[in-house]
Amino acid sequence: MGVIKRKGEDRELQTAQVSDLCRRRLLGYADSFYELARSYDGEFDTEEENRETLLMERRLWENRQVIREHLNEVAKIMAEAAREVLSFWPMEGKKKRLLSQALWEEGIHVEGAGYLPRDDGRRAILLSMCTRKGEKVPAEDAADMISVLLDRRLVPSANSPSVVESNPQSFILEEEAGFLVLTGFSKATKESEAVSGDNYAVLEAEKGRVTVMLSDGTGSGEKAGRDSEKVLDMMEKMLEAGYGMDTAISMVNTALFALGEDVNHPTLDICDIDLYRGSCQLRKVGGAVTVFKRGGEVERMATGNLPLGIFGQVEAEPLCRELQDGDYLVMVSDGVVDAFGGEEGEDTLLSVIAGIQDRNPGEIAERLLRIALHASGGRIRDDMTIGVIGIWES
């Protein structure tokens, strides 16, 4: 544990980082991965004249570049973890005593209370808690007690334990976000299939951040469903492990590209919402149009990106929007657009969404699906999935 005194402050900023032995090992692993990645360096060079052999050698070279990129990324994450420092301020003595005494009377022992600074100026609460009599207390109940004592609305972080138990555990209590999100989904499977090729996921990797993902597998049926499910599963694991959004997309894309399958190119739509700032970033890799709705006004949000795995690299430039109370984002698979009729399907879809007055995201998704089915004459010629994200001020 190191201690740094910041100029102009009467409290000490304390820092904690991984042990020196662990740091050296991580940096050693990182160097090994960097060195292994360098072994795959080199431009494509061949004197082969046979076209079939040339294409095979080119594919092998491209696969080596995929491996090189992945090794470099793993090495980078290891190096960052080795240098990661946790900074916090100990809580003021009077406030700490008040907190400890009040929770002690409720059967909870508290130690090491302090403040964690956040990039946007917020301060989270870091503390260790355990019950005194072997009982179990929901972390949310403990957070409610502390909220009253500190006069700040606090909630347990997504990575904190859900229950205070007899063994001491570390908890991080975050300020409640200014916005909240509700989602609703509705699906219809292609009439000749038993399994939908579309899949979706809602991920809350940390408090104040919600990520909604929709993937449409190539074609329809069980294989398409497995492909899109695999994409979402890989994305979830990478985001939860701490990979950046663009890095995770790139690695999933290169993994599919390395397989060299001509029929495995799922789409990927991602809506990443910051509930503290009230903003969202939409990334689209081959997906159908996404619609931003504010009152009776709608906006088409689309890019010209191709699906995953077609090229070795993919650039999914984020489409950013500031959010207001009552805004909606509507994500759909291409089967929904097709149901409204060919090239004019998007315009019709936007008009329908603009006219919807429902406020519950689930009801909006259900209504849109019913309208799409009516527009297609009751036929389900392709998988249809509709996801609606509603944003409100807390």
Side-chain angles (χ1 to χ4, degrees), residues 192-223:
S192 59
E193 301 287 355
V195 177
S196 174
D198 301 341
N199 276 291
Y200 62 86
V202 180
L203 178 65
E204 187 179 4
E206 57 182 283
K207 282 291 182 184
R209 199 163 204 96
V210 175
T211 303
V212 182
M213 298 184 288
L214 172 64
S215 180
D216 181 355
T218 305
S220 58
E222 189 173 346
K223 184 182 185 307

Side-chain angles (χ1 to χ4, degrees), residues 14 53 62 77 94 134 142 173 178 185 215 243 265 272 284 301 311 321 325:
Q14 298 186 1
T53 305
E62 290 173 343
I77 291 172
K94 182 178 180 180
L173 306 181
F185 290 85
S215 180
Y243 285 79
H265 301 297
D272 190 37
K284 301 181 69 64
M301 302 179 72
F311 295 112
R321 294 294 180 273
D325 183 70

